[in-house]
Amino acid sequence: DLFICDAGAAPYIFDLTLNTPVLLSSNPTPSDFVVTYHNSLTNADLDVNPINPESSYSGTDGEIIFARVEYLFSGCYETELFSLNLLNQPTINPVPNLELCDDPTNDGVEIFDLDSQTLGILGTQNPADFEVTYYTNFTDAEGGTNQLPSMYTNTGNQPIYVRVEGIADAACYNVSATPLFNLVVHPRAEAFQPSNLELCDYNNSGDESEQFDLSVQTTTVLGFQSPILYTLTYHESQSEAEQGINAIV
């Protein structure tokens, strides 16, 4: 079957000769055969009204074409049929940025799984019908060159362009004119060790219970990190702190 991208309005021009080498592929001497294309099986059997020109046929979606493959020296022939198909230009759907927290080295470099965006970009389009690839600039995306690997190591703050093309016809594609999303590496939060909080047992002396203001430790724990960018909570166990649950209020 032949596929072309739907440009939005007729005529839809198909090159039927693309199927000629396919039809002759099983013959050891293709030059001994002639291939013609017809609009009906009757015309193909009678060898009348061949489509001309074969390389620029104005067809319709779902139209059936009949090919006649004739042996030049005997007149024996076979017929085959195939369909003409229009592919909708792929749609590129918006997706959020890919954001990762830095690892303990805090070097600003992380490995991003670009393919994790594919299903969101395709939306309701069948993933089996399209290939999604990723690039750092529009020129590469438009030309389909310098494709990024699926697992891409980057320092973050990297704009990503996307190309979506039909698997049946790579010429049927769409490219994001501007970056579709960004790669973002968030600096890993650091906790600096504060001094212990100590109070004299003034209230109800002897009960060894006093009210502590944990917030006085915030500046020390954050160190150079801006309190605008980080939320600091206090917990009664390492496990609860790791999970971010049961914060002391």
Side-chain angles (χ1 to χ4, degrees):
D1 297 335
L2 294 180
F3 298 84
I4 64 169
C5 201
D6 186 352
Y12 304 111
I13 305 302
F14 292 83
D15 182 0
L16 305 183
T17 64
L18 292 175
N19 268 344
T20 299
V22 178
L23 292 164
L24 297 178
S25 61
S26 62
N27 296 307
T29 53
S31 59
D32 291 345
F33 295 83
V34 61
V35 178
T36 54
Y37 298 94
H38 305 262
N39 293 110
S40 70
L41 179 58
T42 299
N43 286 348
D45 283 333
L46 296 176
D47 194 17
V48 296
N49 301 320
I51 293 172
N52 186 42
E54 300 170 336
S55 60
S56 57
Y57 175 66
S58 180
T60 58
D61 188 29
E63 182 177 353
I64 302 299
I65 299 295
F66 298 86
R68 176 187 174 100
V69 182
E70 182 178 336
Y71 185 52
L72 289 173
F73 303 107
S74 69
C76 295
Y77 72 94
E78 290 185 0
T79 59
E80 298 287 348
L81 62 84
F82 58 91
S83 65
L84 307 181
N85 301 274
L86 294 177
L87 297 174
N88 292 326
Q89 186 181 45
T91 298
I92 297 178
N93 294 292
V95 290
N97 292 335
L98 277 183
E99 303 184 37
L100 293 176
C101 287
D102 207 348
D103 58 32
T105 65
N106 230 9
D107 60 357
V109 178
E110 282 299 315
I111 301 174
F112 291 86
D113 181 4
L114 300 181
D115 282 348
S116 66
Q117 297 281 56
T118 295
L119 291 181
I121 291 168
L122 290 177
T124 59
Q125 299 167 112
N126 188 347
D129 295 336
F130 300 95
E131 181 180 15
V132 180
T133 48
Y134 302 90
Y135 306 84
T136 59
N137 60 75
F138 174 78
T139 300
D140 285 349
E142 177 67 23
T145 58
N146 300 317
Q147 173 187 337
L148 297 176
S150 299
M151 303 303 292
Y152 179 51
T153 301
N154 190 259
T155 57
N157 301 316
Q158 172 66 61
I160 298 296
Y161 293 77
V162 170
R163 177 188 176 98
V164 181
E165 65 182 43
I167 291 176
D169 181 11
C172 192
Y173 69 92
N174 197 1
V175 173
S176 58
T178 58
L180 190 65
F181 62 92
N182 294 290
L183 306 181
V184 180
V185 177
H186 293 292
R188 188 179 185 88
E190 295 186 57
F192 296 90
Q193 180 66 50
S195 302
N196 292 333
L197 287 180
E198 299 181 13
L199 289 176
C200 292
D201 188 5
Y202 288 127
N203 296 319
N204 298 319
S205 179
D207 65 358
E208 298 184 350
S209 176
E210 290 293 326
Q211 184 172 7
F212 289 85
D213 180 5
L214 302 182
S215 66
V216 300
Q217 300 281 53
T218 297
T219 299
T220 301
V221 173
L222 286 179
F224 62 86
Q225 300 162 118
S226 171
I228 298 175
L229 301 178
Y230 296 90
T231 299
L232 180 60
T233 54
Y234 298 92
H235 304 261
E236 293 185 344
S237 73
Q238 179 75 29
S239 174
E240 290 181 348
E242 293 283 354
Q243 298 177 68
I245 61 175
N246 301 325
I248 299 171
V249 294

